[in-house]
Amino acid sequence: MTYLTVDSRSGVNAKMHPPYLQLLSSFSFVALAAGELNLLTYATGGLGQVLGSTFGLPGANATFDYVVVGGGTAGLTIATRLASDPSVSVAVIEAGGFYEVDNGNRSVVPGYSSYFTGADPKNYQPLIDWGFVTEPQEGALQRRFHYARGKTLGGSSARNYMIYHRPTVGAMQKWADEVGDQSYTWDNILPFFKKSCNFTSFNKALYNATISQDPSAFDPQGGPLHTSFSNYADGFGSWAQKGFTGVGMELQDGLNSGILNGTSFSTLTIDPRNGYRSSSESSFLQAALQNGTAPMIYKNSLATRLLLDSNNTATRVTVTTAGPYGIPAVNYTLSARKEVIVSAGTFQSPQLLMVSGIGPKEQLERNNIEVKKDLPGVGQNMWDHVLFGISRRVNVLTASASANSAVVAARLAEQFRTNGSGPLAAFGAGIYGWEDLPQPYRSALSNHSVRELDSFPTDWPELEWLPISSFLGYRENALIADPKDGYNYATINPGIIAPLSRGNISINSSEMSTHPIINPNWLTSTTDQELAIQGFKRAREIWKVLEHAGLTVDDGEEYFPGNNVTEDKDILNFIQRSMMTIYHAAGTCKMGKAADKMAVLDSHARVRGVSNLRVVDASSFPILPPGHPQSVIYALAEKIAADILGLDATIGEGYGLGGYFRDQGMVNLKKSSGGSGGSGEEESMGMALSSLRTTVVLMLAMAVSAVSMGVWYKKACDSLRNCPLTLTHPSETQALNGFGPKICERLEQRLKQHCEENGLPMPKRKSRKRVSGALDEATLDMTPTKKPRKSKKPYVPQLRSGAYALILGLSSIDDSECVSRQQLIELAQPHCDASFTATKDTTTFYTAWNSMKTLVDKDLVKETSRPQRRYALTDEGWEVAGKLKKVGKGILDDDDTAHGRNRTAPPSRDPSLDLGDGGEVALRPISGNQSRRSRPTTASYSNHQTTRESNIHGQRLGGAVADKYGTLPSSKPSRPVGKNLDAAPLASKGLDRSHATIDADVPLAARLQAEENNLPGTTTNDLDFIELLSSSPPRASVPAVQRERSARADFDRASTQRDPELLPEPPSRPQVATFVPPTFQPIYLHPGAFTVELILDNREIRSREDRGYIEKELISKGIRPTVRALPLGDFFWVAKCTNLEFLPRHGEEGTEIALDYIIERKRLDDLISSIKDGRFHEQKFRLRRSGVKNVVYLLEDIAISQETRTKYYDAVQSAIASTQVVNGYFMKRTRGIDDTIRYLTRMTRTLKEMYESKPLTVFPSSILSPSTYLPLLAHQAASQSDQSHNITYTSFASLASKTDNRTLRDVFLQML
C-alpha cells in the first residue's frame, strides 16, 4: 500500500493548476485531485491504470534494458526519455522519495528554497538531503561546510534556487574543444537546450523594471520542464537593475541566447500556473506517469556497487532498500541488458565508480577494492563557484519583513496559497549581472592572475552579481540569520565564476553508505583570492550607486561587514569567514579526449575502458560553464538520451513513433533503429491506412510527414487523438490545438499521396468547414468564430478609496486650476478612509496616494511636472466626477455624517445657475462674491484661463461652501467657464440678466457677439472674457491690456460690423506689458538648517574604464559629492535641508535648494565636437534660461593632434571669447582632470563659507512657470539686492529640462 499511495501522489501533481490547491505536506491531499488516477478510483470500483506497477518491488531481482542510478536532474530526464518508447524498459534507483511529501511546502514554494542550505553542518533535513560535510577548507579559515545535495526524486533540481540560464557561446566552444567533439558547440547543442523547456513569458504588469527575453531562445514545442518568470516582482530587483546599469553593465535580452555579460532578469524553473517549483520530478517524471510511459522507480533505495563481467562490461547493479526504525534492509540486484547509466551526482558518481573498482589505482588499493579499471581522473577536477556579499538596510520590502513578524509571514503564506503570487513566489531579486572585473579594479591584480583569467574565453564572465532580498550574514542558517531589528535588509553578492581553484572527491571506505571525502579547495588559488578582494570593492561601488539613488536607509553605514573593513587583508579575512558555495560542484568524472589521461569519459559520456557504462550528470562536465549549471545538465541528459536512441534533437518529447502509435492501440509498428524515420516505418504506416477511420488516417499521415521532416508534432497528435469527431478533410484539423496552416497543408499532401498509391478517392474540401461523426444530427461549424469585442468597462473607483477621494478633491477646484500634491491631499483626505501620507502598517509602503498613478494612466487626471507636479481633472475625469456626485449624492451625505462631518443642509446651489433641460444654463444676477460655474461641452471650452478664487490651502471656489477640504458643491458636475461677473457695473447699465441663457452648442465668440448686440454702451471691462490660447501654458499674470486685446480679437472674428463705442480701434503700436510680480510668501532657511553639497553628474568620468575616479578623489579630499544625472551642467551646488520634512511642510518636493553656481566641464576635444554639432551654443542658451547667475566653464586640456588643434584654433578662441564677453560666463582652463578636481574642492569649501552663514530665501514653486521665472528673478534682484533668491532643486531641474517647457522659439533656436 505504501507504494500505491505514493504513486497516487505522483499521479496528481502534474495537473495541479488553477484554481490553486491547498499546499499540503502529507498524503491526505490525494483526495483533493478529483478526476486523477488515485486510490479513490479503486475504492469506488473505478478502473484505470494500476499505478503501483510503476514502482519496483524491493528485494526482488529484476532485469531491464537500462538501469539508471540516481533519480535527480539528469537521471529522471534521461530515464523518462528512454522509457518514452514502450519497447524499452528502464529502472531508476533513487535513495530518496517524493520531496513534496518528505519536505512539504519547503521544497515546493520558491520562497522557502533556502531552508536547510546553510553552511552549518547541522543545517540539513535527512529525508531530502545527504548531509554531506566538507573537509576543513584552507581557503576558508579551516571551516567545515554542509554541502546541500538532493536526496529525493528530482535530486538537486528539487533543492536549488531555480535559476535557469544558458552558458556562453565561447564556453560551449571550449567544451567542444576539450572533448574533441564539435557537437557540443553552441549552435549544435542549442536544440537540446530548447527541447526540455516549456517557456512562459513574463507578466508585464508585475515588473517595474526593464525585462526582456528573446523568444527565439525557446521552442513552443519544448517541455515538459517549466521555465518562466516569477509571479512576483521583487522590489529590490528593480533597484538592483539600476545599480548594475549605473556601474556600466548593459541590459541583455535575456540570458538564454549565448551571451551573459551585462544584466538581465533570469528565467526560473517555476510553473507559472501555480507558482510551484518545476523540477525533473514534477515535470519529466510526472508527465511520464500521466502518459503511462514512466520508468520503474525504486525509491528509498541505494545503489551499492556496479558489477562488471570478465570483459569489463557493466551488467548489474546491487541495491539495498532499508526499512524505517531499524527494520533490516533487503538486498537485491537489478540487471541491465543494454547499459547502466550513473547519474548519482558530482560526489557520488565518482564514489560509486571507485567502490566498484573504477578509479585511481592507489586509492582503490588503499581501501582494499579490486581494481577493474585504473582511471586516475575519477574524483579529480572538481570545479565550483563561491560567493560572499555586503548587506545594507534598504527601504523596500525584503525577507526581513516576514522574519520580523509572524503576522506578515502568515499573510504572505496566505497570499501564495490563494493565487500562487507574492514574495513566496520568488527567491532572490530575480535579476543577475555578469562582467569581467573592470578597471580600476583590474589594475590591482597581479600579472599572473591577469594571465590566468585571460585564459578563459573572451565572453566568459569572471564575476556574477547575485542580489538577494535578505540578510545572509555568515550563511550558517538562513532561518536565524536576519538581525530582526525591524529593518529590511538586502545583500549584493559577487560570485567567482572563473575559478582557478580545483577540488577533489576521494573515499575512505569500500561502502556507499559511508560519505565520500569532499574537498572543494575553495579560494586556494591566489587568482581567486585577488579576484574576490576586488569583487568586494566593486560591490561597494554598486551599493554606492544605490545609496545615491535613495535605496538605503543607513546614512552610508554599511551594516555587514561594516565600513571599517577596508584593507585587502581584512577584506580577504572577511570573505574567508563569510563565503559560501553556490552549490555548482562539477567535473569529477570529466569528459575528454583519448589522449587526456585525466579524462574519465568520452564525448558520449561512456566510461573509458568499460563497456555499457555511462556517467550523465554534472560530474561529466569537462569544465564548469559560467553561471548556474541546471540548464546544461538538462541539455546534456537530452543529448545523451538522443544519442542512445539514435534520435535527432528536434523530435519533441522523445517518444518513438512506433511505440507511441502502438500505445494508442492503432497499429503495431517496429521503431526504426535510426530514429530519424525510414522507409520501413513509412511502408508499415501506408499498409495500415486503408483499414483505419479517417481520423486515424490523418494522424498517421501526419506522423509520416513528421518523420520525413524530422519533427514530431506531439501536441497536434494528442489533440487529434482526443477529438471525439470524425474529420473528413485535413483542412478541418486547423480548428484543433496544435494545428496551423502549414501542418494542414502537409497533411493534405500526404493524404493525397496515400490515396493515389492505394487507389482511394481523395476527400473533398467542403465549402463550409463542418465536421460530423457521432454527433451528425448536431453538425458543428469548425470555422473559428470571431469573438465579440468586449466593451471597455468604465472605471468606477470604490467608495471612499484613494482614487474616489482624489477625483472629488480635484472636482472642487476651478477648471483651470492645478494643485500641488500637498494641496490635493488636504482636499481629498476627508473623502477617504485611508491616509494619503501614512502607510496602513509597517509591512507595506503603499498609501492612498498610490491611486494617483491609476488615475493618470486612465487619463482621468492630468499631471504637469514643471516646475512642480500639479494635478487637475481631464475631460474624462470631470465626467467621472459628475457621475460620482450624481449617483452618490445621498451616500455622500450619509457618509459625511457618519464620519463626523455633519452638514445642516446639502451644498447650496449656485444662485447664478439654473440648470434646465437640454443642458442650457440660465444666467441670473449674482453678487460680487459669487461665481458662475457650468460644464463646457465643446472644444471652445477645453483650454481657458481663469483667476483663482481660493487661497493656496484649497478653499472652495465660486459660490459653493468655503470648506478647507472642498466639500462636494453639488450633485451635478460643474466646471467654471469664466471669471466672476460683477453685478454692480451691469446694473449701472440697466442690464437684466435674469432670463438670459447660454446654449452650449453655440460657439463662444458668437454668444459674446450676441451679448454685445444686446448690451449697447457696455465696454470690455464690463465683461470677463475667456482667452482662447489652446497651445499656450497658463500664465501667472496677464496684464489687463493683453486680456482686452485678446477679447477684441474674438469679437473681430465673430462679427462683420464694429461698434466704435464698444470696441475702439486697437493702438497702432504694440503696448509693452509691465511685469507685475505675484503676491507670495517666501520660504526662509536659517543658518544651520542646511548644508552646502556638491552634485556630480554621473556622466562625468575620467575614462570609460575609470568611471568613479572623480568621486573617489573628491572623497579623499574631504568632499563627498552626490552622484546623479543633472539636467544641466556637470557640477552643481545645492543647500540640503538638515530636516528632511522642512520643504514638504511648505508644499514643496525634495530636500534641496538650488544655489547660483554651476560648472560646465569641457575637455578640449569635447569643446571642438560641441562647436561642430551646435551643442555648445544650445548649452549656453539653456544655461541662460536656467537663471543661474554664476556659470563657470572649465576648459580641460587634453592631448589632441596638432592638425586638429590648428584646424579648430580660431573656432575655439572665438567660442572662448563669446562665452566671456557675450554671455558673461567665467572661463577657466585646467591642465587636466586632477587640476579640475582641485578646483572643485576649493570651490566647494568657498561656497560653504559663503552660504552656510546666512539665510536663504526660497521662491515657492506654486508661483513659478517658464514665462515668469526669469522676470521674477530680475524683479526680486532689483528690489531686494541684499537677499539671495533661490528655488528648490526640483523646480530648477524642471525649468532647466532639456526637452520640457520649450516654446516654438526654443525649438527654432535649437535647430539653428
Side-chain angles (χ1 to χ4, degrees):
M1 289 300 291
T2 300
Y3 294 104
L4 196 57
T5 303
V6 172
D7 197 72
S8 299
R9 164 68 186 94
S10 64
V12 300
N13 188 51
K15 291 189 178 180
M16 291 179 70
H17 49 73
Y20 303 95
L21 299 180
Q22 176 85 10
L23 296 179
L24 298 166
S25 58
S26 67
F27 292 109
S28 61
F29 74 92
V30 173
L32 297 178
E36 298 292 343
L37 293 172
N38 56 59
L39 289 178
L40 298 181
T41 60
Y42 305 110
T44 57
L47 297 177
Q49 181 182 358
V50 181
L51 295 178
S53 60
T54 307
F55 292 84
L57 181 63
N61 296 340
T63 301
F64 301 87
D65 291 323
Y66 299 94
V67 175
V68 179
V69 179
T73 309
L76 288 183
T77 302
I78 195 169
T80 54
R81 292 306 194 196
L82 295 175
S84 62
D85 183 353
S87 64
V88 175
S89 61
V90 183
V92 176
I93 305 168
E94 170 53 46
F98 286 90
Y99 63 84
E100 300 94 331
V101 175
D102 293 337
N103 201 37
N105 303 340
R106 292 176 181 84
S107 289
V108 175
V109 180
Y112 293 153
S113 299
S114 59
Y115 274 75
F116 311 117
T117 61
D120 184 352
K122 299 178 181 178
N123 187 224
Y124 72 98
Q125 210 270 53
L127 293 180
I128 47 94
D129 189 282
W130 286 96
F132 291 135
V133 178
T134 69
E135 293 296 291
Q137 292 300 293
E138 177 187 346
L141 305 181
Q142 300 301 318
R143 296 161 61 207
R144 302 179 78 237
F145 293 77
H146 162 231
Y147 204 119
R149 294 283 86 184
K151 189 189 73 171
T152 182
L153 287 167
S156 291
S157 71
R159 305 290 319 282
N160 64 18
Y161 296 146
M162 297 155 289
I163 301 170
Y164 181 97
H165 73 82
R166 295 168 186 163
T168 65
V169 174
M172 294 315 299
Q173 183 63 56
K174 181 175 177 62
W175 181 312
D177 295 342
E178 288 278 336
V179 302
D181 186 346
Q182 296 305 303
S183 67
Y184 284 95
T185 62
W186 173 261
D187 290 336
N188 290 328
I189 202 171
L190 181 59
F192 295 105
F193 280 108
K194 293 182 176 181
K195 186 176 181 181
S196 300
C197 302
N198 186 322
F199 172 66
T200 303
S201 188
F202 57 91
N203 184 349
K204 294 182 180 179
L206 290 178
Y207 289 86
N208 184 30
T210 302
I211 178 171
S212 63
Q213 171 59 60
D214 179 8
S216 65
F218 295 92
D219 189 335
Q221 304 297 326
L225 179 71
H226 286 283
T227 53
S228 65
F229 294 90
S230 170
N231 291 340
Y232 172 76
D234 184 82
F236 183 52
S238 300
W239 284 100
Q241 185 181 72
K242 294 179 182 178
F244 293 155
T245 56
V247 296
M249 297 184 209
E250 296 181 356
L251 293 174
Q252 290 292 348
D253 193 10
L255 301 173
N256 294 293
S257 300
I259 301 173
L260 290 181
N261 276 320
T263 179
S264 177
F265 281 83
S266 175
T267 44
L268 306 167
T269 49
I270 292 178
D271 187 339
R273 301 171 299 175
N274 50 27
Y276 295 176
R277 173 193 295 275
S278 183
S279 66
S280 63
E281 181 269 330
S282 67
S283 57
F284 284 91
L285 180 58
Q286 297 288 0
L289 288 169
Q290 289 296 315
N291 291 329
T293 60
M296 186 69 70
I297 304 296
Y298 287 83
K299 75 180 194 67
N300 303 120
S301 302
L302 178 68
T304 57
R305 189 167 282 102
L306 307 174
L307 301 181
L308 311 182
D309 64 12
S310 57
N311 297 320
N312 261 14
T313 299
T315 58
R316 292 173 294 166
V317 181
T318 60
V319 186
T320 182
T321 302
Y325 308 115
I327 298 175
V330 292
N331 302 314
Y332 49 101
T333 301
L334 300 182
S335 301
R337 299 186 189 94
K338 296 182 177 181
E339 290 187 14
V340 173
I341 301 171
V342 177
S343 299
T346 300
F347 300 154
Q348 287 163 296
S349 286
Q351 181 189 16
L352 183 59
L353 292 183
M354 286 187 280
V355 299
S356 304
I358 305 169
K361 180 179 179 180
E362 299 80 5
Q363 193 169 162
L364 302 183
E365 291 176 343
R366 191 185 316 124
N367 288 279
N368 299 317
I369 299 172
E370 180 185 355
V371 178
K372 298 289 187 179
K373 179 61 180 177
D374 179 15
L375 288 176
V378 174
Q380 307 303 306
N381 187 54
M382 177 181 160
W383 293 56
D384 201 5
H385 298 150
V386 298
L387 83 167
F388 45 89
I390 298 173
S391 299
R392 293 186 64 172
R393 293 169 174 171
V394 295
N395 59 9
V396 295
L397 186 72
T398 68
S400 300
S402 56
N404 281 281
S405 171
V407 174
V408 174
R411 185 182 303 166
L412 298 182
E414 181 61 29
Q415 181 180 3
F416 183 86
R417 187 163 39 237
T418 302
N419 54 21
S421 66
L424 291 181
F427 177 82
I431 191 169
Y432 301 90
W434 316 79
E435 65 176 351
D436 287 339
L437 183 69
Q439 294 292 358
Y441 309 102
R442 196 173 194 83
S443 60
L445 300 178
S446 65
N447 292 333
H448 172 74
S449 296
V450 172
R451 284 194 301 271
E452 286 198 318
L453 291 174
D454 287 346
S455 66
F456 289 92
T458 56
D459 65 352
W460 185 310
E462 296 162 357
L463 292 173
E464 178 185 0
W465 294 98
L466 304 95
I468 303 293
S469 304
S470 63
F471 181 85
L472 301 178
Y474 292 105
R475 305 166 197 266
E476 296 291 323
N477 187 331
L479 295 182
I480 60 176
D482 196 275
K484 299 180 182 178
D485 55 3
Y487 287 96
N488 282 293
Y489 288 88
T491 306
I492 292 181
N493 302 275
I496 307 299
I497 56 172
L500 275 303
S501 303
R502 296 289 181 268
N504 57 76
I505 304 297
S506 57
I507 59 175
N508 58 6
S509 170
S510 60
E511 300 297 328
M512 283 296 294
S513 56
T514 302
H515 283 178
I517 301 172
I518 302 171
N519 185 22
N521 281 332
W522 296 309
L523 293 180
T524 52
S525 164
T526 56
T527 300
D528 291 352
Q529 293 179 3
E530 292 180 15
L531 183 61
I533 292 170
Q534 299 307 315
F536 177 90
K537 296 177 180 179
R538 175 72 160 167
R540 278 184 167 164
E541 180 185 359
I542 296 174
W543 267 121
K544 197 68 175 178
V545 171
L546 296 178
E547 178 185 339
H548 291 323
L551 172 65
T552 59
V553 293
D554 50 18
D555 296 325
E557 291 298 323
E558 182 179 277
Y559 186 85
F560 185 81
N563 293 342
N564 59 321
V565 180
T566 57
E567 299 296 329
D568 284 1
K569 61 180 181 60
D570 296 330
I571 293 174
L572 179 59
N573 181 268
F574 163 74
I575 291 171
Q576 292 174 325
R577 288 180 59 210
S578 63
M579 60 136 289
M580 183 59 179
T581 176
I582 319 181
Y583 315 104
H584 294 170
T588 52
C589 295
K590 77 165 193 170
M591 293 180 180
K593 300 176 183 177
D596 185 355
K597 294 182 179 180
M598 298 302 291
V600 179
L601 314 174
D602 65 9
S603 64
H604 299 279
R606 295 174 298 206
V607 177
R608 294 192 179 278
V610 180
S611 301
N612 296 352
L613 179 61
R614 299 183 198 241
V615 178
V616 184
D617 53 28
S619 71
S620 310
F621 291 10
I623 58 174
L624 175 57
H628 304 257
Q630 177 176 210
S631 67
V632 186
I633 296 173
Y634 279 117
L636 177 64
E638 294 277 18
K639 186 180 188 304
I640 300 302
D643 188 24
I644 293 172
L645 295 174
L647 298 176
D648 185 35
T650 56
I651 303 183
E653 296 270 61
Y655 291 93
L657 294 177
Y660 183 85
F661 282 104
R662 182 177 61 252
D663 187 48
Q664 310 309 319
M666 298 177 183
V667 60
N668 188 6
L669 302 174
K670 183 176 181 181
K671 191 183 77 66
S672 170
S673 60
S676 59
S679 59
E681 190 164 12
E682 292 188 26
E683 182 179 356
S684 300
M685 289 185 178
M687 294 173 60
L689 286 172
S690 59
S691 62
L692 299 176
R693 298 187 328 162
T694 305
T695 301
V696 180
V697 169
L698 291 174
M699 291 182 64
L700 295 181
M702 183 179 66
V704 175
S705 177
V707 170
S708 62
M709 295 294 294
V711 180
W712 175 240
Y713 298 98
K714 182 179 180 298
K715 284 187 178 180
C717 264
D718 284 345
S719 62
L720 185 59
R721 174 169 57 88
N722 296 326
C723 179
L725 306 174
T726 300
L727 309 180
T728 60
H729 193 274
S731 61
E732 298 170 3
T733 61
Q734 194 165 343
L736 301 178
N737 182 34
F739 286 87
K742 289 293 183 183
I743 300 180
C744 295
E745 182 181 347
R746 252 184 245 138
L747 281 173
E748 186 172 357
Q749 293 173 356
R750 180 60 64 183
L751 182 59
K752 183 178 180 181
Q753 178 183 347
H754 163 73
C755 291
E756 291 174 353
E757 292 174 353
N758 293 275
L760 299 174
M762 176 68 182
K764 294 183 179 180
R765 181 195 297 263
K766 291 188 177 182
S767 57
R768 295 189 66 191
K769 300 176 183 178
R770 296 180 179 273
V771 295
S772 60
L775 304 177
D776 284 336
E777 66 277 10
T779 305
L780 303 176
D781 189 353
M782 294 295 288
T783 305
T785 58
K786 190 174 181 180
K787 294 183 179 180
R789 194 178 218 173
K790 292 184 179 180
S791 58
K792 188 176 179 180
K793 294 183 179 180
Y795 175 69
V796 180
Q798 187 176 352
L799 182 66
R800 297 194 65 79
S801 65
Y804 171 87
L806 290 171
I807 291 176
L808 293 187
L810 288 171
S811 69
S812 67
I813 65 173
D814 196 287
D815 181 44
S816 65
E817 297 271 347
C818 290
V819 294
S820 67
R821 171 174 175 168
Q822 188 61 34
Q823 294 166 350
L824 179 53
I825 288 175
E826 293 181 0
L827 292 171
Q829 189 61 72
H831 306 297
C832 183
D833 292 332
S835 171
F836 282 92
T837 57
T839 58
K840 188 175 182 181
D841 54 55
T842 58
T843 64
T844 181
F845 299 96
Y846 296 96
T847 66
W849 182 258
N850 290 88
S851 302
M852 178 56 74
K853 184 178 185 301
T854 302
L855 297 178
V856 173
D857 291 343
K858 293 185 177 296
D859 201 25
L860 299 179
V861 173
K862 56 187 176 183
E863 179 185 65
T864 60
S865 58
R866 308 297 181 214
Q868 184 189 43
R869 282 191 176 87
R870 292 180 171 277
Y871 305 91
L873 288 177
T874 62
D875 286 343
E876 291 81 358
W878 279 106
E879 292 177 5
V880 172
K883 292 176 182 178
L884 289 178
K885 296 176 183 179
K886 182 177 180 180
V887 175
K889 183 177 186 298
I891 300 175
L892 293 174
D893 293 342
D894 296 340
D895 186 58
D896 284 343
T897 302
H899 286 78
R901 292 183 299 277
N902 296 320
R903 296 180 298 184
T904 57
S908 60
R909 196 171 183 177
D910 193 328
S912 65
L913 297 182
D914 183 14
L915 301 179
D917 296 334
E920 295 184 341
V921 182
L923 291 184
R924 297 177 180 175
I926 57 179
S927 62
N929 61 351
Q930 293 175 331
S931 69
R932 182 177 58 183
R933 309 185 68 169
S934 65
R935 173 77 167 88
T937 58
T938 67
S940 300
Y941 293 87
S942 61
N943 291 283
H944 53 271
Q945 183 172 344
T946 64
T947 58
R948 293 188 179 183
E949 293 180 345
S950 65
N951 59 24
I952 196 170
H953 297 294
Q955 291 177 334
R956 290 301 310 276
L957 306 176
V961 180
D963 182 273
K964 178 182 179 181
Y965 296 107
T967 310
L968 292 177
S970 67
S971 61
K972 193 169 183 65
S974 59
R975 292 175 66 185
V977 297
K979 300 179 184 178
N980 293 348
L981 280 172
D982 192 350
L986 297 178
S988 67
K989 297 181 182 296
L991 175 65
D992 182 6
R993 292 288 182 96
S994 59
H995 299 290
T997 63
I998 293 179
D999 189 344
D1001 296 326
V1002 179
L1004 174 64
R1007 279 190 268 117
L1008 292 176
Q1009 178 63 42
E1011 290 188 357
E1012 174 194 351
N1013 295 334
N1014 292 330
L1015 300 175
T1018 305
T1019 67
T1020 55
N1021 291 331
D1022 297 326
L1023 295 177
D1024 214 351
F1025 299 114
I1026 299 174
E1027 189 176 13
L1028 299 176
L1029 299 174
S1030 59
S1031 62
S1032 301
R1035 301 172 184 173
S1037 177
V1038 181
V1041 63
Q1042 295 184 19
R1043 296 200 304 270
E1044 179 180 345
R1045 288 166 57 194
S1046 177
R1048 287 182 184 139
D1050 280 336
F1051 279 111
D1052 288 340
R1053 288 190 294 270
S1055 64
T1056 57
Q1057 297 181 353
R1058 178 180 301 278
D1059 187 333
E1061 182 180 357
L1062 183 60
L1063 293 175
E1065 289 293 332
S1068 58
R1069 299 181 66 179
Q1071 299 182 15
V1072 179
T1074 303
F1075 175 75
V1076 179
T1079 302
F1080 65 93
Q1081 178 63 41
I1083 303 171
Y1084 295 102
L1085 271 80
H1086 299 286
F1090 61 90
T1091 58
V1092 174
E1093 295 188 4
L1094 169 64
I1095 298 180
L1096 166 64
D1097 187 82
N1098 57 11
R1099 291 158 291 191
E1100 288 304 295
I1101 60 176
R1102 180 183 188 179
S1103 63
R1104 194 171 181 182
E1105 293 78 22
D1106 194 356
R1107 295 176 174 271
Y1109 182 80
I1110 298 177
E1111 180 187 8
K1112 288 186 292 185
E1113 287 298 309
L1114 285 170
I1115 292 174
S1116 68
K1117 298 179 184 301
I1119 306 297
R1120 184 174 292 274
T1122 300
V1123 181
R1124 71 167 76 122
L1126 284 172
L1128 185 63
D1130 301 317
F1131 306 97
F1132 191 63
W1133 283 267
V1134 297
K1136 186 165 186 177
C1137 300
T1138 54
N1139 183 355
L1140 302 183
E1141 299 298 325
F1142 178 79
L1143 289 179
R1145 283 205 304 266
H1146 289 78
E1148 301 294 331
E1149 297 181 13
T1151 61
E1152 297 169 339
I1153 307 300
L1155 301 181
D1156 269 332
Y1157 285 85
I1158 191 169
I1159 288 181
E1160 184 78 43
R1161 174 193 173 209
K1162 288 288 183 188
R1163 296 192 313 180
L1164 189 56
D1165 57 343
D1166 183 40
L1167 176 62
I1168 293 173
S1169 63
S1170 65
I1171 292 173
K1172 290 165 61 178
D1173 61 21
R1175 285 184 294 114
F1176 182 65
H1177 300 286
E1178 190 264 344
Q1179 287 169 349
K1180 291 196 295 183
F1181 171 74
R1182 290 176 54 223
L1183 284 168
R1184 185 170 67 253
R1185 195 180 64 176
S1186 71
V1188 178
K1189 290 186 295 186
N1190 303 289
V1191 178
V1192 178
Y1193 264 85
L1194 286 181
L1195 184 56
E1196 197 173 286
D1197 238 337
I1198 189 172
I1200 59 175
S1201 66
Q1202 186 61 39
E1203 179 185 357
T1204 302
R1205 189 181 293 270
T1206 303
K1207 181 178 180 181
Y1208 293 101
Y1209 175 82
D1210 291 339
V1212 170
Q1213 294 303 315
S1214 176
I1216 293 174
S1218 67
T1219 302
Q1220 292 176 307
V1221 178
V1222 178
N1223 303 109
Y1225 298 156
F1226 179 72
M1227 180 71 73
K1228 176 176 176 59
R1229 300 193 70 160
T1230 61
R1231 293 184 296 274
I1233 190 170
D1234 292 320
D1235 197 11
T1236 298
I1237 293 172
R1238 286 191 291 270
Y1239 181 80
L1240 291 172
T1241 303
R1242 296 194 303 270
M1243 188 78 167
T1244 303
R1245 290 170 180 164
T1246 301
L1247 292 179
K1248 280 181 171 290
E1249 295 175 0
M1250 286 176 53
Y1251 279 98
E1252 292 182 354
S1253 60
K1254 62 181 181 179
L1256 289 180
T1257 304
V1258 182
F1259 293 145
S1261 301
S1262 58
I1263 66 169
L1264 300 177
S1265 71
S1267 59
T1268 63
Y1269 172 50
L1270 294 181
L1272 180 62
L1273 279 180
H1275 179 273
Q1276 295 298 109
S1279 60
Q1280 302 177 10
S1281 58
D1282 58 330
Q1283 293 185 6
S1284 64
H1285 303 89
N1286 305 91
I1287 60 176
T1288 65
Y1289 176 80
T1290 303
S1291 298
F1292 168 80
S1294 301
L1295 293 168
S1297 172
K1298 192 172 186 178
T1299 56
D1300 293 329
N1301 291 320
R1302 290 191 303 173
T1303 64
L1304 193 59
R1305 175 179 177 275
D1306 297 339
V1307 176
F1308 287 158
L1309 285 174
Q1310 186 175 15
M1311 292 170 63
L1312 291 173

